[in-house]
Amino acid sequence: MIGGKGDMQVLNETGMAAFEESIRKALEERRKVIGMTEQALGSLAFPHVADSRRKVQSIRKGQGSGENRKPQQLRMTDVMNLLAALGLPWEKVIKQAFADAETAQKEEQEKISKMVDDISSKIAACPGYYEKAKVVLPRALEEVKATMK
């Protein structure tokens, strides 16, 4: 995602999802390593929020239940507060998230490329089938007509 001279590329939907998932993973791994509860993390990261544990939970796991449960989209300020509260260097986490996003996008592009190649080979075979059908189908129709008389 980051070019040699600091150029950034736009993330597609897959890249954005991978980027956010990478950040969530880093946050969760660090929280577990240091043994911090959601309540403690929320109090440190969001002291201005009345129910800070719930805010952490909605960022980590989402709101709702079952299939409807989806994590909220990350806000940069929330991420910065969480990283600071956990003692994680934001530059390293963001750089890793971009790398994970780039990998996810490349994998998606490779999958699409394989699908295009597969479809192209099937399409390439179609003209032969079309030519055969022009000969075979009229004969078959004549045979059917002859048996119906």
Side-chain angles (χ1 to χ4, degrees), residues 74-120:
L74 295 179
R75 291 180 2 167
M76 199 60 188
T77 52
D78 291 347
V79 170
M80 300 305 280
N81 282 0
L82 289 165
L83 291 171
L86 291 168
L88 285 169
W90 66 268
E91 299 93 343
K92 181 180 174 186
V93 173
I94 299 298
K95 188 178 262 188
Q96 182 61 52
F98 273 121
D100 292 346
E102 185 172 343
T103 299
Q105 288 186 168
K106 283 182 181 177
E107 288 172 358
E108 181 183 46
Q109 287 172 339
E110 288 171 7
K111 190 185 307 181
I112 291 169
S113 180
K114 286 178 185 177
M115 290 170 50
V116 167
D117 290 346
D118 184 47
I119 290 170
S120 295

Side-chain angles (χ1 to χ4, degrees), residues 24-141:
R24 282 189 179 88
K25 180 180 174 189
L27 293 169
E28 186 60 17
E29 286 175 357
R30 177 68 175 168
R31 187 183 74 79
K32 285 182 178 179
V33 165
I34 63 176
M36 187 179 283
T37 65
E38 287 179 342
Q39 183 64 50
L41 178 56
S43 295
L44 286 172
F46 309 111
H48 58 283
V49 175
D51 192 353
S52 57
R53 182 194 62 79
R54 184 169 286 170
K55 180 166 181 66
V56 170
Q57 192 175 50
S58 68
I59 290 170
R60 283 184 56 238
K61 300 178 189 174
Q63 296 174 319
S65 61
E67 295 175 12
N68 295 326
R69 185 178 200 113
K70 293 181 183 161
Q72 74 178 40
Q73 287 186 315
L74 295 179
R75 291 180 2 167
M76 199 60 188
T77 52
D78 291 347
V79 170
M80 300 305 280
N81 282 0
L82 289 165
L83 291 171
L86 291 168
L88 285 169
W90 66 268
E91 299 93 343
K92 181 180 174 186
V93 173
I94 299 298
K95 188 178 262 188
Q96 182 61 52
F98 273 121
D100 292 346
E102 185 172 343
T103 299
Q105 288 186 168
K106 283 182 181 177
E107 288 172 358
E108 181 183 46
Q109 287 172 339
E110 288 171 7
K111 190 185 307 181
I112 291 169
S113 180
K114 286 178 185 177
M115 290 170 50
V116 167
D117 290 346
D118 184 47
I119 290 170
S120 295
S121 67
K122 289 178 180 174
I123 290 172
C126 288
Y129 293 133
Y130 177 71
E131 292 301 319
K132 288 179 185 177
K134 286 193 322 187
V135 173
V136 172
L137 287 176
R139 285 187 200 154
L141 286 172

